[in-house]
Amino acid sequence: MSQVLNTDVLIVGGGVAGLWLAARLRSQGFATLLVESASLGGGQSVKSQGIIHGGAKYALHGALTGASEAIADMPRRWREALAGNGELDLRPVRLLSDAHYLWSPGSLAGNITSFFASKAVRGRVDQVKGDALPPALQHPKFKGKVYRLAELVLDVPSLIQRLADLAGDGLLAGRSIEPLREGDELVGLVVDGRSIRAQRIVLSAGAGNEALLQALGIQQPAMQRRPLHMVMVKAPGLKPLYAHCLGGGPKPRVTVTTHPAADGQWVWYLGGDIAEADGVARNEAEQIAAAEKELRDLLPWIDLAAARWATLRVDRAEPVQNGLARPDNAFLADQGRLLVGWPTKLALAPDFADRVITALERDGIRPTQPALLPELPRPSLAQPVWEELL
């Protein structure tokens, strides 16, 4: 006879969004069970750069966009959680940088006037010089301008670990997921033979939502993928750098974040425009060559002679938008007991949880007192991608 479990909210997908949601719901008294088919954070989460955006990169030419408005409050909410006085207690999470920087090479210093006039960033940008510069830019040959943004950068593996701890016993490793129906009504899921009934079911599995929706016979909402071709470099003597480097277009020319490797060295993780359209079209060798040229042009004093390089392809999974545009907000759609969502980016995990909680309140869903969960197979934690590739 198969095992039968009951919970208030059944979450499928153990990235940061699903884990944050589980922790928020538990803090409000809900019983939760989160199912992950691989490793916690092993999809998009562990491949992110860890930047808690506040909208600055969406207003590089002075336009106050929907994205910059929607995400503007996220740094405050994350900072409160990191300090232990927010909606979650994230004090054990490692903060890599208390600020992200906007870096304008000398030739482009005059091209960002409209950016600083934008209401999206007014009061949240300060120019820095001298010893206040990021360590990698403290060199006599550096001629650009640097501005401190009210954003922050987190160590994502430690974030995943903390959120998994907050999920307590409500984590389940499960590969086979099928619908559990009573007549035509979806009342839960069957996970590796376990029948799990829930008041609400939330799909937050990123790219995995597509196959889950197909298995449930649901065609809407549909999903899109926006690909990236990220670059990693590890070299002796690299110094920390957390910055968007401005180019001539509406996106950062390159976005650099720095992450600790197990051997004590720093890894630079490169995104931005270099990882998008042209970067996606390049093979690994071509992408590495392009990234090396970019760094040598921008930072010629950095010694890359002994550098180790790798690339990583990432599919950003999102709800379908016209022209594959980037969604401005976290997304949630509901069909009866089923809630289907994508946070769309790491920083918006709190917004995603807000939307689920609003849906529960709207439908009058309240915490119950289901039976204690038995001991369940627990999913593993994802390892940093640079430990596998460099």
Side-chain angles (χ1 to χ4, degrees):
M1 182 175 179
S2 68
Q3 191 175 43
V4 178
L5 305 174
N6 290 278
T7 191
D8 291 327
V9 181
L10 174 58
I11 302 166
V12 182
V16 166
L19 289 166
W20 184 291
L21 174 61
R24 278 282 305 277
L25 291 173
R26 286 198 159 212
S27 73
Q28 296 185 8
F30 286 94
T32 66
L33 186 56
L34 183 150
V35 178
E36 171 54 49
S37 63
S39 58
L40 295 172
Q44 289 178 235
S45 293
V46 80
K47 299 168 186 173
S48 77
Q49 291 186 280
I51 305 166
I52 305 303
H53 291 293
K57 79 169 188 175
Y58 306 128
L60 292 182
H61 291 274
L64 189 63
T65 66
S68 62
E69 290 276 71
I71 204 170
D73 197 39
M74 290 301 111
R76 177 193 64 81
R77 293 178 65 176
W78 282 85
R79 287 182 191 279
E80 289 177 353
L82 290 166
N85 53 22
E87 54 215 64
L88 297 179
D89 182 357
L90 299 185
R91 283 177 291 177
V93 175
R94 181 176 182 179
L95 181 65
L96 293 177
S97 180
D98 189 51
H100 206 247
Y101 294 84
L102 189 71
W103 154 33
S104 175
S107 61
L108 290 172
N111 294 343
I112 56 175
T113 303
S114 60
F115 170 76
F116 295 109
S118 169
K119 289 184 291 184
V121 296
R122 192 170 297 159
R124 296 189 285 138
V125 177
D126 299 296
Q127 187 173 359
V128 296
K129 300 178 181 180
D131 292 343
L133 289 170
L137 303 182
Q138 293 181 20
H139 192 277
K141 292 184 179 180
F142 179 70
K143 303 301 182 185
K145 294 185 178 181
V146 179
Y147 302 87
R148 188 181 191 274
L149 303 176
E151 301 179 345
L152 57 157
V153 187
L154 304 182
D155 175 57
V156 175
S158 70
L159 172 62
I160 295 166
Q161 174 69 71
R162 175 55 179 167
L163 292 175
D165 291 343
L166 292 174
D169 63 352
L171 297 174
L172 171 63
R175 291 192 172 276
S176 171
I177 299 176
E178 300 173 354
L180 177 62
R181 300 186 187 276
E182 286 185 354
D184 293 333
E185 183 184 4
L186 181 70
V187 297
L189 298 175
V190 180
V191 180
D192 290 349
R194 295 178 177 86
S195 297
I196 306 173
R197 300 175 64 92
Q199 296 192 73
R200 288 295 181 269
I201 304 156
V202 181
L203 302 188
S204 63
N209 276 358
E210 191 171 53
L212 289 167
L213 289 169
Q214 290 175 356
L216 295 171
I218 296 172
Q219 297 184 356
Q220 294 295 330
M223 192 186 82
Q224 69 182 26
R225 288 179 169 86
R226 289 192 302 121
L228 293 171
H229 195 181
M230 306 290 286
V231 181
M232 289 168 280
V233 56
K234 180 164 68 172
L238 276 187
K239 297 179 180 180
L241 179 60
Y242 303 91
H244 302 299
C245 178
L246 286 177
K251 297 178 181 178
R253 177 175 173 179
V254 62
T255 295
V256 183
T257 53
T258 310
H259 306 267
D263 61 5
Q265 294 189 59
W266 290 108
V267 175
W268 280 7
Y269 194 28
L270 312 180
D273 199 43
I274 193 172
E276 300 206 18
D278 290 343
V280 170
R282 299 183 188 110
N283 62 33
E284 182 177 27
E286 292 168 342
Q287 181 70 335
I288 289 171
E292 184 172 6
K293 181 180 185 303
E294 190 79 307
L295 292 183
R296 291 190 187 281
D297 288 346
L298 293 168
L299 305 167
W301 56 89
I302 302 295
D303 184 3
L304 297 173
R308 298 176 61 186
W309 299 83
T311 70
L312 177 68
R313 293 190 181 272
V314 181
D315 277 333
R316 293 167 291 182
E318 303 159 344
V320 166
Q321 308 285 298
N322 290 334
L324 287 180
R326 177 191 63 243
D328 286 342
N329 308 291
F331 172 89
L332 189 72
D334 58 291
Q335 300 184 23
R337 294 196 186 200
L338 183 67
L339 304 174
V340 183
W342 290 269
T344 73
K345 53 183 65 64
L346 176 76
L348 286 168
D351 182 45
F352 178 74
D354 288 348
R355 291 168 189 271
V356 174
I357 291 168
T358 297
L360 298 181
E361 292 173 347
R362 178 201 64 204
D363 295 340
I365 303 300
R366 299 286 183 266
T368 63
Q369 295 295 325
L372 293 176
L373 290 171
E375 186 173 347
L376 299 170
R378 191 177 176 94
S380 62
L381 297 174
Q383 297 302 305
V385 289
W386 39 87
E387 300 298 350
E388 299 176 10
L389 298 176
L390 288 175

